[in-house]
Amino acid sequence: MKPKRSSEVEALRAELRRHEHLYYVLDQPEISDAEYDALMNQLKVLEAKHPELATPDSPTQRVGGKPREGFVKVEHSSRMLSLDNALSEDELRAFDARVRDLLGGAAMRYVAELKLDGLSMAAHYRDGVFVQAVTRGDGRVGEEVTENARTIRSLPLSVPSAKAPFEVRGETVMNRRAFELLNASRDAQSLSRFANPRNAAAGSLRVLDPAITASRRLDFYAYFLLEEGRPKFATQWESLEALAAMGFKVNPQRKLCKSLEELLEFCASWEGKREQLPYEIDGVVVKVDSVAQQEQLGYTAKAPRWAIAYKYAARQAVTIVEDILVQVGRTGALTPVAALKPVEVGGVTVSRATLHNEDEIDRLGLRIGDSVVIERSGDVIPKVVRVHTQGSPRRRFHMPKRCPVCGGKIVREEGEAATRCININCPARLKESILHFSARPVMNIDGLGDALVEQLVDKKLVSSVADLYDLTVDQLAGLERMGKLSAANLVKNIDKSRQNPLPRVLHSLGIRFVGERTATFLAEAFGELDRIAAASPNELQLAEEVGPKVAQSVYDFFHEESNQKLVERLRSAGLQFTYKVKRKAGGPLAGLTFVLTGTLPGLTREDAKARIEAASGKVASAVSRKTSYVVAGEDAGSKLDKARTLDVPVIDEARLLEMLDGGR
Ligand code: IVH
């Protein structure tokens, strides 16, 4: 029976892969969504019945696996550099002149590619199967995002034709439509909007929970094909063609240019048409086609000499500031916002622009009635760049002396740009705090929308987020548009949120600079809320990515009496104040095999081996496809080369120590 089942499963997978490629890569579906879903269901049923047939490259694996506990750093096979910019036609001409000069006038060609505005990522394949994805990070070391990347439909999970290990680098982006849908759904849940598709893509890829990435519909456009960290083909153009043939999504809007004139023409023509594209671009990437010539040109400290980013100017428009309004945020910050005469900028009608704070208004010399230049650089909230012409009449704006919502006192602390309402019970602050507290990535309380929060605060049922835990079905059922059933559901959801782990509780407190990521690092480093609250700013900096600014903010938060009261009330409400990092059976390195090579700066070979083994890891003497990591020190030799050939991640001693510490 098994062989038949196994071929049936493989045939179904092949069929699904074909349709995924047609739909997500080529944009030419042959079957309806419903037919696709039906095929997928068949496969899911078969795999559930025959778990022994499941494979990581099956199309069913794109749903997003289990959330992870932390972020793992991985060294790139070769530097992922960034590009120098050419901000005008003249600068592009100068780049061309320099290239031709350095090549001694030899014949050459450029590849022009659109510069998609996303974040770059490296995807690694072994034996034709996708095995690892890493973000660019600082170019040398990035963050492992394998399970998240697996959910990107246009990233092939298997490339059966390619046997040797290879790496594909490209851009992870969110197209405009997915971005708009995401922000609309965040509005509906009273979550803060993403400022632009780039931030949305980054925020969707670099999350601990792959299910979030899966729900965000990211896209991956390939632009480099590497083997052992080096281009596989002699020209960039061939690489792009090969990538497309392998099933990757390669932007069809590309051109092999024989002259600077052709290049300029390509750049100019897409500048005019950029709004018609389904994704945001911020320019054109120009690369010397021949890899031999690329090598001849070499690199500066931070960028290749053989490529440049020709950047388009930001999209601007001129309109009138009809009024300046003041909004009150969660931290009490009063933000002046320009109410504009509606104007179209790059296909979007704009009627508001942020002015950040009073200093910014002074810096601009702006008065109500002036006409201004506004700019959208992919951002949804546009900003005022400068005054265009002074209005007549024009009226000076004054920051209100009292909070426009509660009438309470406002202060502007020394060295701070923001003016704040200091009444912690200010309804505007409270409403924003409750919305933040209940948001999906925070305490995830379904059913607490804008309108309801408004009523809870206005009717004085809630005057602190801790009051949420005392709400009863009877209290809620009396509110507008609230039946007994939804009231009961909400109480249940609030109750359920008591089980949220410590990182979410920390995030919920609304400490400045402490988002999901920092909260996770703090919880991992200290294990208990009370230890975080008692830590000095110096101690707080022991947590990953926590610098002086964040540490001070955390310290200040826990030393403020009203916050201490809130924390005690949340403790009484039964929230989780301790955190256990879940691990596989055994120590932090269980299931991992290491190979040591070269001289490590602080550990002897024996020490390193003993410590890895004490943490349940294995140490092998030779590098193979089964090796999880090669730990390389000074004078690492052939094992390092072998690791690169087999695409095995290479780490240094510092990273090993982190992993021994539990930072897998
Ligand atoms: S090549 C060494 N090609 O732009 C070459 N980058 O400003 C590095 N980008 O970090 C990148 N589209 O995030 C390249 N077709 C393309 C690109 C592209 C977008 C981004 C990428 C890179 C940044 C450089």
Side-chain angles (χ1 to χ4, degrees), residues 81 83 113-116 120 171 223-224 285 287 304:
L81 291 166
L83 293 176
E113 299 165 27
L114 296 184
K115 183 166 172 347
L116 271 59
S120 44
E171 202 76 355
Y223 50 70
F224 280 134
V285 174
K287 299 172 185 166

Side-chain angles (χ1 to χ4, degrees), residues 79-85 113-121 136 169-171 198 221-224 236 282 285 287 299 303-304 306-307 309 311:
R79 286 286 295 269
M80 276 181 91
L81 291 166
S82 114
L83 293 176
D84 281 338
N85 294 329
E113 299 165 27
L114 296 184
K115 183 166 172 347
L116 271 59
D117 202 9
L119 70 161
S120 44
M121 183 178 88
R136 173 169 178 269
R169 291 184 181 175
E171 202 76 355
R198 194 191 170 283
Y221 285 85
Y223 50 70
F224 280 134
Q236 169 66 6
D282 57 349
V285 174
K287 299 172 185 166
Y299 299 82
W306 47 265
K311 287 284 208 50

Side-chain angles (χ1 to χ4, degrees), residues 472-521:
T472 63
V473 175
D474 284 344
Q475 280 173 326
L476 289 169
L479 299 174
E480 263 169 55
R481 281 188 285 162
M482 257 288 182
K484 265 246 175 305
L485 193 64
S486 23
N489 267 334
L490 180 56
V491 170
K492 202 172 76 202
N493 293 341
I494 294 175
D495 181 42
K496 208 171 64 188
S497 76
R498 290 186 162 95
Q499 300 315 319
N500 282 327
L502 179 58
R504 284 180 181 260
V505 176
L506 270 173
H507 189 188
S508 80
L509 297 174
I511 308 171
R512 278 183 92 193
F513 314 123
V514 179
E516 180 186 359
R517 206 175 146 83
T518 307
T520 306
F521 289 139

